[in-house]
Structure formats: structure tokens, C-alpha cells
């Protein structure tokens, strides 16, 4: 489900919406908080922020190592957590 075209497309919209709310140059913590507030009706827990920050840093490193330009590496690494949130049980079964 996470690699479905629809989910990836929606994740792109989620990233764009996060940039509108938090600002495109906002620190990762603000973007993570905005993503949780959009996907779930709550702020992320401290452990969730830590995991998300670590994931974003690792993903960006992977994209940079694959010779992606820094702006594209950042954009791609930011889209990955969006698809994870949209595929999570918490998102699917909010009720």
C-alpha cells in the first residue's frame, strides 16, 4: 500500500501542505509536528519526533549519496514520512 501511486501522490500533497503550514524553510521539528497535526488529531510524541528526524537525516544522506542535488534530496526525503503516515493504522482507523 505504501508504494501505491495514489498514496505517493497524496503524500506529495501532504508535503506541500506541511510546507504551507510550517514554512518551506522551517526546521524538521516544525514540519514533523505539522505532519502529525494534519494526519492525526494530535501532536507527535517526543520519541516520534526523534525517530522522524533520524529517518529524515538518513534518507537525505541516501539521496545525496546517489548524487541527487540537495534541494531534490530534501524534497524526496520529506515525502517518505508522508506516505508512512498515510499508510499507518492510526490514519486509516481514525474514528
Amino acid at each position: 500500500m505504501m508504494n501505491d501511486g495514489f498514496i505517493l501522490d497524496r503524500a506529495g500533497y501532504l508535503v506541500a501542505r506541511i510546507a504551507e503550514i510550517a514554512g518551506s524553510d522551517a526546521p524538521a521539528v516544525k514540519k514533523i509536528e505539522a505532519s502529525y497535526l494534519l494526519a492525526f488529531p494530535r501532536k507527535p510524541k517526543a520519541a516520534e519526533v526523534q525517530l522522524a528526524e533520524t529517518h529524515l537525516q538518513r534518507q537525505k544522506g541516501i539521496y545525496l549519496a546517489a548524487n541527487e542535488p540537495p534541494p531534490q534530496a530534501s524534497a524526496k526525503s520529506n515525502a517518505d514520512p508522508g506516505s508512512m503516515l498515510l499508510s499507518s493504522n492510526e490514519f486509516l482507523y481514525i474514528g
Side-chain angles (χ1 to χ4, degrees):
M1 183 166 144
M2 285 179 59
N3 293 326
D4 181 71
F6 178 77
I7 294 296
L8 296 175
D9 186 50
R10 297 295 114 191
Y13 285 115
L14 180 61
V15 170
R17 185 74 176 113
I18 291 165
E20 286 178 20
I21 292 171
S24 58
D25 295 331
V29 173
K30 291 290 183 186
K31 291 179 180 180
I32 293 164
E33 185 176 293
S35 66
Y36 270 74
L37 289 171
L38 285 171
F40 314 130
R42 65 176 180 85
K43 289 185 177 184
K45 298 172 186 164
E48 292 169 327
V49 171
Q50 172 108 23
L51 288 170
E53 283 183 303
T54 301
H55 177 76
L56 289 172
Q57 291 171 355
R58 287 182 182 161
Q59 286 298 106
K60 186 174 180 180
I62 290 168
Y63 288 121
L64 290 171
N67 296 319
E68 289 283 345
Q72 290 175 331
S74 292
K76 286 183 176 183
S77 65
N78 286 330
D80 292 341
S83 63
M84 289 189 299
L85 291 174
L86 295 178
S87 297
S88 69
N89 280 341
E90 187 171 354
F91 180 80
L92 293 172
Y93 299 107
I94 291 176

